[in-house]
Amino acid sequence: MQSFPGRPTTPVAPEVVIVGGGSIGCSIAYQLALDGVRSLILERDYLAAGASGVAAGMLAPQVEAPFDDPFFDLTLAGRKSHGPLAAALYEDVGLDVECRATGILRVALDEADRVELQRRQRWQTARGLRADWLESEQLGECEPLLNGVAGRLLAGGLWLPDEGQVRSPRLVQALAAASVKRGAMVVEGSWAVGFERRGDRISGVRTPQGIVSAETVVLAAGVWSTDLAQTIGLDLPVGPVKGQILTLRAIQQTPRTVIWSGECYLVPRVDGQVILGATEEDGNYDRRPTLAGIGSLSEAALEFLPAVGQFTIEGIWAGLRPAAPDRYPIVGRAPGFENLILATAHYRNGILLGPLTGRWISQLIRSGVVAPEFAPFGPERFISSGH
Ligand SMILES: Cc1cc2nc3c(=O)[nH]c(=O)nc-3n(C[C@H](O)[C@H](O)[C@H](O)COP(=O)(O)OP(=O)(O)OC[C@H]3O[C@@H](n4cnc5c(N)ncnc54)[C@H](O)[C@@H]3O)c2cc1C
């Protein structure tokens, strides 16, 4: 087993074992650490080895929401949680997770797009959110790359100034480091292969190196949670929606804001990198990028922003978004088990919702109280207690 740097030399037995060192597992460990609960993360590969290491890191509830519902409320609260978290992590472990409200410009490619985006603008402004409609000739004022012909060929755009972004892999590292500083343990290269079960309790997690005992176990292994749940007869309906992205660099002009066309998005980073994402490939477990995936993204970007053709390629990545059939998270106590918590299926929003999920799971573990805002997203909507 490999220890995370900073691991206490005389570890005390953890109260909670978390399977999976992605955004969700590390957010839970962090909140538990703040609340004085000792946890241990078992990570098969390395921290952020899954979807969390690939994610574009957008904090984008408004651009993602077709209508107003409880999930939208949750994602807005998620966006709000990131600024204070980033400041606390910087103070704590000195890592800048680059949390910034860069805004998102959602451009309309055609008339149908324009009608739909203006409909969204109406209900979002009616809710008191900032969402401004820009005609095509105004797009360049918001994003200089859309000055001139590039902007005029579009059917306008929705400017969402409060949307933001973080650097996802660094966020995971910072959460883990801050957790370890408060006594949590992280073991990378340790594969959970199953559970020790006594009636309706899980007494430990089985790894090739031995059994790790715990009072509570949290399954936060992203899309791979399904296989582990299966070992104890839980049919967790979580599958992959593969996403491919490219890391680019502009030779001349870098986008000022996030530009999203519906077919693809461009996310400018602090260091001048630009993320071009992302494909949506339902049911695909193969984590390797493909020419077709990268080709479709390039085509989608070049269609509305020819300047991207001069950007150079620095990296090509793919990750598996864990998704439930209804595309909402599955967060809560596993039906039929007293001390097993499920925290997965965050689909396109696992970075955005990590901090809230962490808070809620910690509360559930400490007091048994189900936070009302998470109540609609419990596992019982798919799994009965008599499974
Ligand atoms: C291309 C792309 C772009 C995205 N963009 C955004 C975005 O802009 N904003 C946003 O909010 N979300 C985004 N997402 C979604 C987000 O990445 C996911 O929702 C989130 O990362 C899920 O986190 P997780 O911790 O549940 O899973 P993961 O990050 O996949 O972590 C699961 C971890 O469990 C480990 N593991 C698996 N099996 C075992 C085992 N048996 N034992 C121990 N460890 C195990 C894995 O190695 C992995 O590290 C994007 C995803 C992709 C692919």
Side-chain angles (χ1 to χ4, degrees), residues 19-25 42-46 48-52 54-58 190-192 220-224 228 243-245 265 278 319-322 343-344 346-352:
V19 180
S23 158
I24 301 303
L42 287 175
E43 166 51 50
R44 177 182 65 184
D45 297 323
Y46 49 88
S52 307
V54 174
M58 282 177 293
S190 185
W191 189 310
V223 74
W224 301 278
L228 276 170
Q244 306 191 39
I245 62 166
Y265 49 71
L320 306 181
R321 305 176 185 92
T344 182
H346 288 74
Y347 182 42
R348 294 175 67 92
N349 293 295
I351 306 304
L352 175 68

Coordinates of all heavy atoms in Angstrom, one line a residue, residues 19-25 42-46 48-52 54-58 190-192 220-224 228 243-245 265 278 319-322 343-344 346-352, ligand 1:
V19 N -14.7 4.5 -0.2 CA -14.1 3.8 -1.4 C -14.2 4.8 -2.6 O -15.3 5.1 -3.0 CB -14.9 2.5 -1.7 CG1 -14.3 1.8 -2.9 CG2 -14.9 1.6 -0.5
G20 N -13.0 5.2 -3.1 CA -13.0 6.1 -4.2 C -12.4 7.5 -3.9 O -12.9 8.2 -3.0
G21 N -11.3 7.9 -4.5 CA -10.7 9.1 -4.3 C -10.9 10.1 -5.4 O -9.9 10.7 -5.9
G22 N -12.1 10.3 -5.8 CA -12.5 11.4 -6.7 C -13.1 12.6 -6.0 O -12.9 12.7 -4.8
S23 N -13.7 13.4 -6.8 CA -14.3 14.6 -6.2 C -15.3 14.3 -5.1 O -15.3 15.0 -4.0 CB -15.1 15.4 -7.3 OG -16.1 16.2 -6.8
I24 N -16.1 13.2 -5.3 CA -17.1 12.9 -4.2 C -16.4 12.3 -3.0 O -16.7 12.8 -1.9 CB -18.1 12.0 -4.8 CG1 -18.8 12.6 -6.1 CG2 -19.2 11.6 -3.8 CD1 -19.5 14.0 -5.8
G25 N -15.6 11.3 -3.2 CA -14.9 10.7 -2.0 C -14.1 11.7 -1.2 O -14.2 11.8 0.0
L42 N -9.9 4.7 0.4 CA -9.2 3.7 -0.4 C -9.3 4.0 -1.8 O -10.5 4.1 -2.4 CB -9.9 2.3 -0.2 CG -9.7 1.7 1.2 CD1 -10.6 0.4 1.2 CD2 -8.3 1.3 1.4
E43 N -8.3 4.3 -2.5 CA -8.3 4.6 -3.9 C -7.5 3.6 -4.7 O -6.3 3.4 -4.5 CB -7.7 6.1 -4.1 CG -7.4 6.5 -5.5 CD -8.5 6.2 -6.6 OE1 -9.6 6.7 -6.3 OE2 -8.2 5.6 -7.6
R44 N -8.2 3.0 -5.7 CA -7.6 2.0 -6.5 C -6.3 2.4 -7.3 O -5.4 1.7 -7.3 CB -8.7 1.6 -7.6 CG -8.3 0.5 -8.5 CD -9.4 0.3 -9.5 NE -9.7 1.5 -10.3 CZ -10.7 1.5 -11.2 NH1 -11.5 0.5 -11.4 NH2 -10.9 2.6 -11.9
D45 N -6.4 3.6 -7.9 CA -5.2 4.0 -8.6 C -4.5 5.2 -7.9 O -3.6 5.0 -7.1 CB -5.7 4.5 -10.0 CG -6.3 3.4 -10.8 OD1 -5.8 2.2 -10.7 OD2 -7.3 3.6 -11.5
Y46 N -4.9 6.4 -8.2 CA -4.4 7.6 -7.6 C -5.5 8.6 -7.5 O -6.5 8.4 -8.2 CB -3.2 8.2 -8.4 CG -3.5 8.3 -9.8 CD1 -4.0 9.5 -10.3 CD2 -3.2 7.3 -10.7 CE1 -4.3 9.7 -11.7 CE2 -3.5 7.5 -12.1 CZ -4.1 8.6 -12.5 OH -4.4 8.8 -13.9
A48 N -8.1 11.4 -8.0 CA -8.6 12.0 -9.3 C -8.2 11.2 -10.5 O -8.1 11.7 -11.6 CB -8.1 13.4 -9.4
A49 N -8.1 9.8 -10.3 CA -7.8 9.0 -11.5 C -9.0 8.8 -12.4 O -8.9 8.4 -13.6 CB -7.3 7.6 -11.0
G50 N -10.2 9.1 -11.9 CA -11.4 8.8 -12.7 C -11.9 10.1 -13.3 O -11.1 11.0 -13.8
A51 N -13.2 10.3 -13.4 CA -13.8 11.4 -14.1 C -13.4 12.7 -13.5 O -13.2 13.7 -14.3 CB -15.3 11.3 -14.0
S52 N -13.1 12.8 -12.2 CA -12.7 14.0 -11.6 C -11.4 14.6 -12.1 O -11.2 15.8 -12.0 CB -12.7 13.8 -10.1 OG -13.9 13.3 -9.6
V54 N -10.5 14.5 -15.2 CA -10.7 14.9 -16.6 C -11.7 16.1 -16.7 O -11.6 16.8 -17.7 CB -11.3 13.7 -17.4 CG1 -11.6 14.0 -18.8 CG2 -10.3 12.5 -17.3
A55 N -12.5 16.2 -15.7 CA -13.6 17.2 -15.8 C -13.2 18.6 -16.2 O -12.1 19.0 -15.7 CB -14.4 17.2 -14.5
A56 N -14.0 19.3 -16.9 CA -13.7 20.7 -17.3 C -13.8 21.6 -16.1 O -13.2 22.7 -16.1 CB -14.6 21.2 -18.4
G57 N -14.5 21.2 -15.0 CA -14.6 21.9 -13.8 C -15.5 23.1 -13.8 O -15.4 24.0 -13.0
M58 N -16.4 23.1 -14.8 CA -17.4 24.3 -14.8 C -18.4 24.2 -13.7 O -18.8 23.1 -13.3 CB -18.1 24.3 -16.1 CG -17.2 24.9 -17.2 SD -18.1 24.8 -18.8 CE -18.2 23.1 -19.0
S190 N -4.9 1.1 -3.7 CA -5.6 0.0 -2.9 C -7.0 -0.2 -3.4 O -7.8 0.7 -3.4 CB -5.6 0.4 -1.4 OG -6.2 -0.6 -0.7
W191 N -7.3 -1.4 -3.9 CA -8.5 -1.7 -4.6 C -9.5 -2.4 -3.7 O -9.2 -3.4 -3.1 CB -8.0 -2.7 -5.7 CG -9.0 -3.0 -6.8 CD1 -10.3 -3.4 -6.5 CD2 -8.8 -2.9 -8.2 NE1 -10.9 -3.6 -7.7 CE2 -10.1 -3.3 -8.8 CE3 -7.8 -2.6 -9.0 CZ2 -10.2 -3.4 -10.1 CZ3 -8.0 -2.7 -10.4 CH2 -9.2 -3.1 -10.9
A192 N -10.6 -1.8 -3.5 CA -11.7 -2.5 -2.8 C -12.3 -3.5 -3.7 O -12.7 -3.2 -4.8 CB -12.8 -1.5 -2.4
A220 N -18.1 5.6 -3.0 CA -18.0 6.8 -3.9 C -17.0 6.5 -5.0 O -16.1 7.2 -5.3 CB -17.6 8.0 -3.0
A221 N -17.2 5.3 -5.6 CA -16.3 4.9 -6.7 C -16.8 5.2 -8.1 O -16.4 4.5 -9.0 CB -16.0 3.4 -6.5
G222 N -17.5 6.3 -8.2 CA -18.0 6.7 -9.5 C -18.7 5.6 -10.3 O -19.5 4.9 -9.7
V223 N -18.4 5.5 -11.5 CA -19.1 4.5 -12.4 C -18.8 3.1 -11.9 O -19.6 2.1 -12.2 CB -18.7 4.7 -13.8 CG1 -17.3 4.3 -14.2 CG2 -19.7 4.1 -14.8
W224 N -17.7 2.9 -11.2 CA -17.3 1.5 -10.8 C -18.0 1.1 -9.5 O -17.8 0.0 -9.0 CB -15.8 1.5 -10.6 CG -15.1 1.8 -11.9 CD1 -14.8 0.9 -12.9 CD2 -14.5 3.0 -12.3 NE1 -14.2 1.6 -13.9 CE2 -14.0 2.9 -13.6 CE3 -14.5 4.3 -11.7 CZ2 -13.4 3.9 -14.3 CZ3 -13.9 5.3 -12.4 CH2 -13.4 5.2 -13.7
L228 N -19.0 -3.0 -7.3 CA -18.9 -3.3 -5.9 C -20.2 -3.5 -5.2 O -20.3 -4.4 -4.4 CB -18.2 -2.1 -5.2 CG -16.6 -2.1 -5.3 CD1 -16.0 -0.8 -4.9 CD2 -16.1 -3.3 -4.5
G243 N -16.9 11.0 -21.7 CA -16.7 12.3 -22.2 C -15.2 12.5 -22.6 O -14.3 12.1 -21.8
Q244 N -15.0 13.0 -23.8 CA -13.6 13.2 -24.2 C -13.4 14.7 -24.3 O -14.3 15.5 -24.6 CB -13.4 12.6 -25.6 CG -13.8 11.2 -25.7 CD -13.3 10.5 -27.0 OE1 -12.2 10.8 -27.5 NE2 -14.1 9.6 -27.5
I245 N -12.2 15.1 -24.0 CA -11.8 16.6 -24.0 C -10.4 16.7 -24.6 O -9.6 15.8 -24.6 CB -11.9 17.3 -22.7 CG1 -10.9 16.7 -21.7 CG2 -13.3 17.3 -22.1 CD1 -10.7 17.6 -20.5
Y265 N -17.9 23.1 -25.7 CA -17.5 24.4 -25.0 C -16.0 24.6 -25.0 O -15.2 23.6 -25.2 CB -18.1 24.3 -23.5 CG -17.7 23.0 -22.8 CD1 -16.4 22.7 -22.3 CD2 -18.7 22.1 -22.5 CE1 -16.1 21.5 -21.6 CE2 -18.5 20.9 -21.8 CZ -17.2 20.6 -21.4 OH -16.9 19.5 -20.7
A278 N -17.2 18.6 -24.7 CA -16.9 17.3 -24.3 C -17.9 16.4 -25.0 O -19.0 16.8 -25.3 CB -17.0 17.1 -22.8
G319 N -13.0 10.5 -19.8 CA -13.4 10.1 -18.5 C -14.8 9.5 -18.6 O -15.5 9.8 -19.5
L320 N -15.2 8.8 -17.5 CA -16.5 8.2 -17.5 C -17.4 8.9 -16.4 O -17.1 8.8 -15.2 CB -16.4 6.7 -17.1 CG -15.5 5.9 -18.0 CD1 -15.5 4.4 -17.6 CD2 -15.9 6.0 -19.5
R321 N -18.4 9.7 -16.9 CA -19.3 10.3 -16.0 C -20.2 9.2 -15.4 O -20.9 8.5 -16.2 CB -20.2 11.3 -16.7 CG -19.5 12.4 -17.5 CD -20.5 13.3 -18.2 NE -19.9 14.3 -19.1 CZ -19.6 14.1 -20.4 NH1 -19.9 12.9 -20.9 NH2 -19.1 15.1 -21.1
P322 N -20.3 9.1 -14.1 CA -21.3 8.1 -13.5 C -22.7 8.6 -13.6 O -23.0 9.7 -13.1 CB -20.8 8.0 -12.1 CG -20.0 9.2 -11.8 CD -19.6 9.9 -13.1
A343 N -22.8 7.2 -2.7 CA -22.6 8.6 -3.1 C -22.0 8.6 -4.5 O -20.8 8.6 -4.7 CB -21.7 9.3 -2.1
T344 N -22.9 8.5 -5.5 CA -22.4 8.4 -6.9 C -23.5 9.0 -7.9 O -24.4 9.6 -7.4 CB -22.1 6.9 -7.2 OG1 -21.5 6.9 -8.6 CG2 -23.3 6.0 -7.1
H346 N -23.2 11.4 -10.1 CA -23.3 12.9 -10.2 C -23.3 13.3 -11.6 O -23.3 14.5 -11.9 CB -22.3 13.6 -9.3 CG -22.6 13.5 -7.9 ND1 -22.4 12.3 -7.2 CD2 -23.0 14.4 -7.0 CE1 -22.7 12.5 -5.9 NE2 -23.1 13.7 -5.8
Y347 N -23.1 12.4 -12.6 CA -23.2 12.7 -14.0 C -22.4 13.9 -14.4 O -21.2 13.9 -14.2 CB -24.7 12.8 -14.4 CG -25.0 13.0 -15.8 CD1 -24.3 12.3 -16.8 CD2 -26.0 13.9 -16.2 CE1 -24.6 12.5 -18.2 CE2 -26.3 14.1 -17.6 CZ -25.6 13.4 -18.5 OH -25.9 13.6 -19.8
R348 N -23.0 15.0 -14.9 CA -22.3 16.1 -15.4 C -21.9 17.1 -14.3 O -21.4 18.2 -14.6 CB -23.1 16.9 -16.5 CG -23.3 16.1 -17.7 CD -24.3 16.8 -18.6 NE -23.7 18.0 -19.2 CZ -23.0 18.1 -20.3 NH1 -22.9 17.0 -21.0 NH2 -22.5 19.2 -20.7
N349 N -22.3 16.8 -13.0 CA -22.2 17.8 -12.0 C -21.4 17.4 -10.7 O -21.7 18.0 -9.7 CB -23.6 18.2 -11.6 CG -24.3 19.0 -12.7 OD1 -23.9 20.1 -13.1 ND2 -25.4 18.4 -13.3
G350 N -20.5 16.5 -10.9 CA -19.9 15.9 -9.7 C -18.8 16.9 -9.1 O -18.5 16.8 -7.9
I351 N -18.3 17.8 -9.9 CA -17.4 18.8 -9.3 C -18.3 19.9 -8.7 O -18.0 20.2 -7.5 CB -16.5 19.4 -10.5 CG1 -15.8 18.3 -11.3 CG2 -15.6 20.4 -9.9 CD1 -15.0 17.4 -10.5
L352 N -19.3 20.3 -9.4 CA -20.2 21.4 -8.8 C -20.8 20.9 -7.5 O -20.8 21.7 -6.5 CB -21.3 21.6 -9.9 CG -22.4 22.5 -9.5 CD1 -21.9 24.0 -9.4 CD2 -23.6 22.4 -10.5
Ligands
LIG1 C1 -15.2 15.2 -20.0 C2 -15.9 15.5 -18.7 C3 -16.2 16.8 -18.4 C4 -16.9 17.1 -17.2 N1 -17.1 18.4 -16.8 C5 -17.7 18.7 -15.6 C6 -17.9 20.0 -15.3 O1 -17.5 20.9 -16.0 N2 -18.5 20.3 -14.1 C7 -18.9 19.3 -13.2 O2 -19.4 19.5 -12.1 N3 -18.7 18.0 -13.6 C8 -18.1 17.6 -14.8 N4 -17.9 16.3 -15.1 C9 -18.5 15.3 -14.3 C10 -17.6 15.0 -13.1 O3 -16.3 14.8 -13.6 C11 -18.2 13.7 -12.4 O4 -19.5 13.9 -12.0 C12 -17.3 13.5 -11.1 O5 -16.0 13.6 -11.4 C13 -17.7 12.2 -10.4 O6 -16.9 12.1 -9.3 P1 -16.8 10.7 -8.5 O7 -15.8 11.0 -7.4 O8 -18.1 10.2 -8.3 O9 -16.1 9.7 -9.6 P2 -14.6 9.6 -10.1 O10 -14.0 10.9 -10.3 O11 -14.7 8.7 -11.3 O12 -13.9 8.9 -8.9 C14 -14.1 7.5 -8.6 C15 -12.8 7.0 -8.0 O13 -13.0 5.7 -7.5 C16 -11.8 4.9 -7.8 N5 -12.2 3.5 -7.8 C17 -13.0 2.8 -8.7 N6 -13.1 1.5 -8.3 C18 -12.5 1.4 -7.1 C19 -12.3 0.3 -6.2 N7 -12.8 -0.9 -6.4 N8 -11.6 0.6 -5.0 C20 -11.1 1.8 -4.8 N9 -11.2 2.9 -5.6 C21 -11.9 2.7 -6.7 C22 -11.4 5.4 -9.2 O14 -10.1 5.1 -9.4 C23 -11.7 6.9 -9.1 O15 -10.6 7.6 -8.7 C24 -17.3 16.0 -16.3 C25 -16.9 14.7 -16.6 C26 -16.2 14.4 -17.8 C27 -15.9 13.0 -18.1

